[in-house]
């Protein structure tokens, strides 16, 4: 069982930055690969990027060069650094764990956090 908690969301102007955190508590095993997802109003939840246990990352094209995922295994925390934010980045952001990393692709697991709202004003 893994419990996830996101934080760091908020309201920011276009061009600004935010850093989201995903803290995991697991009694049985390490965090493993983690995916960051987002869901805008009226849209389905989509993968933004992911990181494997060794620190390898993958991103969707729309955030490449702007978003960076990193992890601190000692703190069981994964970060999503978001720079040059755009209004279209507005969404609830979720982290996901328990999934599988295969050939640079992340396949979601069963564990979700509660989400954190990111709003980018124009």
């Amino acid at each position: 069982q893994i419990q996830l908690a996101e934080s760091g969301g908020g309201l920011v102007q276009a061009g600004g930055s935010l850093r989201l955190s995903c803290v995991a508590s697991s009694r049985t095993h390490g965090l493993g690969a983690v995916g960051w997802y987002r869901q805008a109003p009226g849209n389905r939840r989509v993968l933004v990027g992911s990181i494997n246990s060794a620190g390898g990352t993958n991103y969707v094209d729309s955030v490449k060069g702007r978003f960076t995922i990193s992890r601190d295994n000692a703190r069981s925390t994964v970060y999503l650094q978001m720079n040059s934010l755009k209004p279209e980045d507005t969404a609830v952001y979720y982290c996901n764990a328990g999934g599988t990393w295969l050939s640079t692709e992340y396949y979601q697991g069963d564990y979700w956090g509660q989400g954190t709202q990111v709003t980018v004003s124009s």
Side-chain angles (χ1 to χ4, degrees):
Q1 183 75 20
I2 301 174
Q3 295 178 329
L4 304 172
E6 303 96 336
S7 62
L11 173 64
V12 64
Q13 289 186 332
S17 298
L18 284 173
R19 188 178 80 158
L20 307 184
S21 298
C22 172
V23 180
S25 60
S26 172
R27 294 185 177 181
T28 58
H29 53 275
L31 187 54
V34 171
W36 278 100
Y37 291 73
R38 66 185 179 188
Q39 186 169 19
N43 292 343
R44 64 183 179 89
R45 195 173 300 184
V46 296
L47 181 66
V48 172
S50 56
I51 186 167
N52 65 19
S53 57
T57 55
N58 194 23
Y59 305 92
V60 296
D61 287 345
S62 60
V63 306
K64 280 182 180 177
R66 300 190 299 123
F67 289 12
T68 303
I69 299 174
S70 61
R71 65 190 300 151
D72 183 340
N73 290 330
R75 291 181 169 83
S76 295
T77 302
V78 174
Y79 303 99
L80 177 62
Q81 177 67 44
M82 305 185 294
N83 299 328
S84 302
L85 283 162
K86 304 176 181 180
E88 52 263 43
D89 295 318
T90 295
V92 178
Y93 284 72
Y94 300 88
C95 58
N96 174 271
T100 303
W101 177 279
L102 183 64
S103 299
T104 76
E105 296 291 332
Y106 179 74
Y107 298 89
Q108 74 180 51
D110 294 332
Y111 304 103
W112 294 94
Q114 82 287 353
T116 185
Q117 176 71 47
V118 172
T119 303
V120 184
S121 63
S122 57

